Amino acid sequence: MSSSQSVSIFIVEDNAWYGELLEYKLAQNPDYSIRRFTTAQACLDHLVDNPDIITLDYSLPDGQGDQVLRQIRERLPEVAVIVISGQEDVRTAIGLLRQGAYDYLVKDEETVDRLWNTVSNIRKQLALTRENNRLREQIGQKYSPERAILGESPQIQQLYGLIDKAARTNITVSLSGETGTGKELVAKAIHFRSERREGAFVAVNVAAIPRELIESELFGHEKGAFTGAVSRRIGRFEEAHKGTLFLDEIADLELNLQAKLLRVLQEREVTRVGGSARIPFDARLMVATHRDLGLEVKEGRFREDLYYRLLGLPIVLPPLRERGNDVLVLAQAFLREFCEQNHMPACTLSPAAQHKLQQYAFPGNVRELKAVVELAAVLADGDIIQPQDLSLRNGTTNGAEMGNGVTNESLRIQMANIVQNYLDAHNGNILQVAAKLQIGKSTIYRMVQNNEVRLR
């Protein structure tokens, strides 16, 4: 096909006059590429050209419509076949439609107009399908390991190999690493390289959902199951059917819900809150946490049986401070993307700014780096970012002692600094800041309530 708008049509009609009439009508649309055949065999011989639509005369000199339709569908199951017949036999029409014909038209004075409408409808469906395929291909490219997880360090090269191995099977994947290392990006890269890429990727941050709602969120609920349940709601497991379910911060799941999750994974079926029906699902599971799940098991906060059920293929994401020159590779990529999206002149990092980034430990990892360089692009006076444009936490250097020296408190302070800078730069627009930083708006509201940040 020459373009995303063109439609290839085969007209199979042994009556030369009638075939010319159909061709004349359809040829009024310049986007239709039309070829006409007078025998079934001639059409079958040219199926290698992969037409989008075939209009098929039911009675041909070398084959009946049902037989020809069967041969076409065997070789091109996606092609839309419109059968045109001189007989008004309802049973024949139903049989052909069940066999896979797109439509059945009877030859009369309205046939040509009905054919035009039918082909127009098919064309709209084809355009939608092509657009979906294009977007799916773009998404697949976006989440290819080399584009989603940038880096040249040995750790990242090893990560690419693990992503490829994970994508070949449906094995459960458990991702671990510090906050901001890109666990969800890795999960998406695996999903969009796997056989489940056509299905949905459903991400759930367990820690961000109120405890009283998490069961309903995961498994769904029936109407009237609890106060506020005004209608039935399917859960995330059902949404991820034929796709992938990604449970982030799985260590935050309460013990009683851990038991229910274990049962769901063992039975491969869910029961909605307030319901009794068992609903099977087919979803691949990936989980992530910044905690040590093994330690959580030892200290009694995580079920051992669930731990082994979820372990699958463990992938540990390295912190940014251990990735060497990757910090500059990522910084330049984030700058380029940010400037393009905001129609700004391209920015570069001065040698002094590069040195400052390399000396910083990045307790917030890749997420923090992205926020820092985007804010620097906004604060810079020109197209060269200077050290003073980089809002980094004082005293956090990239020394070996930082391996275990980053505390939850320092991470919260750093996150508050980043959020405050973004709120200042975006005039206190919480929704916009949440989208930019890829965090929940409830997180920012909570930080405001706790006086960690201020709306000026």
Side-chain angles (χ1 to χ4, degrees):
M1 289 168 283
S2 59
S3 73
S4 60
Q5 299 296 320
S6 65
V7 178
S8 172
I9 303 175
F10 283 6
I11 295 175
V12 189
E13 172 63 59
D14 65 326
N15 184 313
W17 175 83
Y18 199 76
E20 288 177 1
L21 175 64
L22 298 180
E23 182 177 6
Y24 172 78
K25 177 65 176 180
L26 295 178
Q28 293 178 26
N29 190 320
D31 290 329
Y32 294 167
S33 172
I34 303 169
R35 298 175 68 180
R36 192 153 51 89
F37 305 97
T38 57
T39 66
Q41 192 58 52
C43 170
L44 295 173
D45 289 343
H46 287 83
L47 289 182
V48 293
D49 296 330
N50 198 26
D52 298 306
I53 302 172
I54 298 176
T55 72
L56 177 65
D57 184 14
Y58 183 77
S59 299
L60 292 167
D62 57 343
Q64 285 292 98
D66 55 346
Q67 299 169 350
V68 181
L69 174 62
R70 186 178 301 110
Q71 295 180 70
I72 292 173
R73 298 288 297 169
E74 286 174 356
R75 293 172 58 181
L76 292 179
E78 301 299 324
V79 69
V81 181
I82 304 168
V83 179
I84 302 178
S85 174
Q87 53 180 308
E88 277 189 71
D89 186 351
V90 175
R91 287 177 300 178
T92 299
I94 292 174
L96 289 166
L97 293 172
R98 286 177 175 172
Q99 205 174 313
Y102 182 89
D103 203 352
Y104 182 91
L105 304 180
V106 177
K107 289 182 179 179
D108 57 27
E109 65 276 5
E110 297 179 357
T111 303
V112 175
D113 290 332
R114 288 205 301 270
L115 176 62
W116 175 269
N117 292 332
T118 301
V119 170
S120 296
N121 290 334
I122 295 172
R123 183 194 181 192
K124 293 175 184 176
Q125 293 175 12
L126 285 171
L128 182 61
T129 299
R130 290 172 186 170
E131 178 64 12
N132 287 340
N133 290 338
R134 185 186 67 81
L135 292 175
R136 191 176 293 115
E137 182 179 349
Q138 284 185 346
I139 292 172
Q141 292 174 353
K142 177 181 179 182
Y143 290 109
S144 66
E146 295 79 8
R147 294 190 64 180
I149 305 103
L150 296 174
E152 301 170 350
S153 62
Q155 298 96 319
I156 296 302
Q157 298 304 312
Q158 183 181 27
L159 178 62
Y160 292 162
L162 289 173
I163 290 173
D164 282 337
K165 290 178 180 178
R168 295 187 199 126
T169 69
N170 283 317
I171 189 172
T172 299
V173 176
S174 55
L175 297 153
S176 60
E178 295 178 8
T179 299
T181 48
K183 295 184 285 292
E184 184 170 344
L185 278 178
V186 172
K188 286 181 177 178
I190 294 171
H191 169 76
F192 287 109
R193 288 174 68 86
S194 73
E195 292 182 350
R196 292 180 177 266
R197 68 179 70 89
E198 304 289 334
F201 178 88
V202 179
V204 182
N205 188 325
V206 174
I209 302 172
R211 294 179 179 180
E212 62 273 14
L213 297 179
I214 186 67
E215 184 176 1
S216 169
E217 186 75 16
L218 292 178
F219 310 135
H221 64 251
E222 297 292 347
K223 180 179 179 180
F226 50 83
T227 303
V230 295
S231 61
R232 169 183 286 177
R233 183 190 187 284
I234 68 169
R236 296 305 184 96
F237 273 89
E238 291 180 74
E239 287 181 20
H241 185 64
K242 298 298 182 181
T244 299
L245 177 63
F246 173 63
L247 299 180
D248 197 6
E249 300 300 351
I250 189 66
D252 284 50
L253 196 65
E254 290 186 327
L255 282 168
N256 67 318
L257 281 173
Q258 291 177 27
K260 293 180 180 180
L261 175 60
L262 179 63
R263 181 192 61 78
V264 165
L265 296 178
Q266 289 172 336
E267 303 295 331
R268 306 300 295 179
E269 59 186 20
V270 296
T271 301
R272 299 190 189 110
V273 177
S276 58
R278 295 185 172 187
I279 304 158
F281 70 91
D282 174 18
R284 181 189 194 160
L285 187 66
M286 288 192 253
V287 299
T289 179
H290 70 280
R291 300 184 191 175
D292 183 340
L293 269 188
L295 181 61
E296 295 292 306
V297 171
K298 286 182 181 180
E299 297 186 354
R301 292 189 293 269
F302 203 84
R303 292 178 62 106
E304 185 176 19
D305 46 7
L306 180 59
Y307 169 73
Y308 287 113
R309 171 71 66 170
L310 296 177
L311 187 60
L313 173 63
I315 298 179
V316 180
L317 275 69
L320 185 56
R321 62 182 172 274
E322 296 178 3
R323 291 173 53 181
N325 198 52
D326 281 358
V327 65
L328 297 183
V329 174
L330 288 163
Q332 296 289 5
F334 292 150
L335 275 176
R336 183 168 55 251
E337 181 181 22
F338 181 78
C339 291
E340 288 176 358
Q341 290 177 349
N342 291 275
H343 309 291
M344 296 169 58
C347 289
T348 58
L349 293 158
S350 70
Q354 294 181 32
H355 180 73
K356 185 175 181 179
L357 289 177
Q358 289 179 307
Q359 294 303 305
Y360 183 67
F362 284 101
N365 290 291
V366 179
R367 185 181 295 133
E368 181 184 0
L369 171 64
K370 187 173 189 291
V372 165
V373 298
E374 288 183 353
L375 182 59
V378 175
L379 297 177
D381 291 329
D383 56 5
I384 299 178
I385 293 174
Q386 302 296 340
Q388 62 269 22
D389 301 321
L390 298 168
S391 302
L392 303 176
R393 181 170 175 266
N394 293 332
T396 309
T397 57
N398 196 2
E401 71 278 3
M402 288 306 300
N404 296 312
V406 179
T407 65
N408 287 336
E409 185 62 26
S410 69
L411 284 173
R412 289 191 64 82
I413 293 172
Q414 182 61 22
M415 175 59 79
N417 289 338
I418 293 171
V419 172
Q420 186 66 68
N421 284 331
Y422 264 73
L423 286 171
D424 294 343
H426 294 281
N427 299 316
N429 189 322
I430 291 178
L431 294 178
Q432 193 172 2
V433 171
K436 289 283 185 182
L437 293 177
Q438 297 181 346
I439 60 177
K441 61 182 182 295
S442 59
T443 300
I444 302 178
Y445 284 122
R446 188 162 53 248
M447 295 174 78
V448 173
Q449 188 176 16
N450 294 337
N451 295 318
E452 296 176 74
V453 298
R454 290 177 295 170
L455 298 177
R456 294 169 181 165

